[in-house]
Amino acid sequence: MTMSRLWLFAFLVSAFLVSLSLYPTYLDFQKTPPGHVFLGTHNNSLDYPMFVATIQRAQRGLWCNKAVFTSEPQPCDLVHWIYIPLGKLTGLFGIDAITTYQIGRVLFGMTLAMATFYFISSLFGNERKIDDGKLKIGVEDRKSRVEN
């Protein structure tokens, strides 16, 4: 298997796993009766409103985050900063904050899965040789590293 096919395989497996994790959310969106809004969350209901509020603040033009669910004065901070550029980008296209959060799940999930694949492949990458489209464990590589 060539390295590009290995990356394609990793991408497809990652996409399948992310899709599998989104399937319950998709079903709940489909089952939502007319006139109701499904918030798009199954677990972690304490952090979810903060994520969506950060996205909404970014869509309204703000570049920093505040804890909006408290009456205490809060300074501007960059907690949950990753949702700010996501909110800015989707705000240009008029995508609501709940859908933006789900888009973020896909993007961040794929990024995590591909980074994990890259990390694992870099751990074992020095011991592999790709020769004529076949992946071989290089015993010679181990010997040359020991000798050097």
Side-chain angles (χ1 to χ4, degrees):
M1 180 179 290
T2 64
M3 193 56 80
S4 60
R5 286 186 183 220
L6 192 62
W7 276 99
L8 177 63
F9 175 74
F11 178 81
L12 293 175
V13 169
S14 300
F16 173 74
L17 293 175
V18 169
S19 299
L20 192 63
S21 75
L22 288 171
Y23 189 67
T25 305
Y26 170 76
L27 290 178
D28 286 341
F29 271 117
Q30 294 300 317
K31 291 189 293 187
T32 303
H36 291 80
V37 175
F38 171 61
L39 294 178
T41 185
H42 295 278
N43 54 7
N44 199 9
S45 59
L46 298 176
D47 287 339
Y48 177 76
M50 189 66 185
F51 301 150
V52 173
T54 302
I55 292 168
Q56 286 176 335
R57 290 176 59 81
Q59 289 176 339
R60 289 190 310 228
L62 301 171
W63 281 96
C64 63
N65 191 21
K66 286 188 176 185
V68 294
F69 300 107
T70 181
S71 59
E72 299 172 359
Q74 298 289 316
C76 187
D77 60 31
L78 292 177
V79 175
H80 310 303
W81 66 270
I82 196 70
Y83 293 104
I84 294 172
L86 184 64
K88 292 283 187 188
L89 181 64
T90 57
L92 295 173
F93 300 102
I95 300 172
D96 66 283
I98 293 172
T99 306
T100 298
Y101 175 78
Q102 300 304 325
I103 291 170
R105 284 181 62 194
V106 172
L107 291 175
F108 304 146
M110 287 297 294
T111 301
L112 177 64
M114 295 304 290
T116 302
F117 173 76
Y118 176 77
F119 176 72
I120 291 170
S121 67
S122 68
L123 284 177
F124 302 105
N126 292 337
E127 297 182 13
R128 285 193 253 164
K129 283 188 174 180
I130 297 178
D131 185 27
D132 298 328
K134 296 179 182 174
L135 189 63
K136 298 179 180 180
I137 303 296
V139 177
E140 301 84 27
D141 288 345
R142 290 186 202 150
K143 289 178 183 176
S144 64
R145 278 187 284 162
V146 171
E147 292 171 1
N148 294 333

